Amino acid sequence: MSRRYKAKAIIAPSKAEIGQSLPGAFKTAGIDPQWHMWHVLLADERCVPSTDGDSNLRAIREFFTKHVAIPKEQVYGIDETLLKSGSRAVASAYQKTVESLLQKSGNMLDCVVLGFGPDGHTCSLFPNHALLEEQSVLVANIDDSPKPPPSRITLTFPVLNSLSRSVIFCGAGESKGPILEAVFGNGTATTDNEIECAGAQAFILELIDPPPYPCAMVRPNRESSLTWVVDADAADQSIRMKRNANY
């Protein structure tokens, strides 16, 4: 019988802990983030201008990159001149951007930070959609997203599972509890002094097979790491209930 895939789960004491700014977190840890060396890609993007309220790039700029010293040319949005040509053209162009950056980083993305919806989607990979089976491209287009706007681009599972050194999921709130309940099997608490000093708890948990949601299909290669960071509201009815179970 094959050994089940396992992930590390961290329960932060509050939403504020999860939402803590990276600059503040690095300062607290005494780490120099060397912002000038960062390159920021979008895990997915809506096919809208960056001035639009639905733009992920707009949100990243507003809440992250404008507050740190990452060079503007190292934050990679979609080519907005291609929006009139359709999502396929936008995705094709963004794949070239991803490929260019992979060549500079040993053919692996250092860290991919993802969210997950109450329907279990991640990036723009939605339940029961054909893109869940996509293996031929790194960046795919979608024109029938169940969430508006319908046209988007997204990284695919070949990137998330084979070309990423570390994947981190973040989620907060009671609405995420049912997803965690379905995704995780048995697990045990683990000791992590740095995490415990921050008031958090850490667990090693099995992932249920077959994966019940797209977010659970993210399972990086064994040499890479997978971590889920959630708040107490999300975890109370899921992870905590499984913490004393044995593998």
Side-chain angles (χ1 to χ4, degrees), residues 151-167:
S151 293
R152 304 161 173 237
I153 66 166
T154 182
L155 297 182
T156 58
F157 286 116
V159 177
L160 303 178
N161 289 337
S162 300
L163 301 176
S164 303
R165 294 187 175 94
S166 176
V167 177

Side-chain angles (χ1 to χ4, degrees), residues 45-58 77-80 83 90 148-153:
E45 179 59 294
R46 292 80 180 268
C47 290
V48 296
S50 58
T51 54
D52 191 286
D54 283 327
S55 169
N56 285 336
L57 179 61
R58 175 178 172 171
I78 60 174
D79 184 345
E80 296 179 32
L83 288 175
V90 175
S151 293
R152 304 161 173 237
I153 66 166

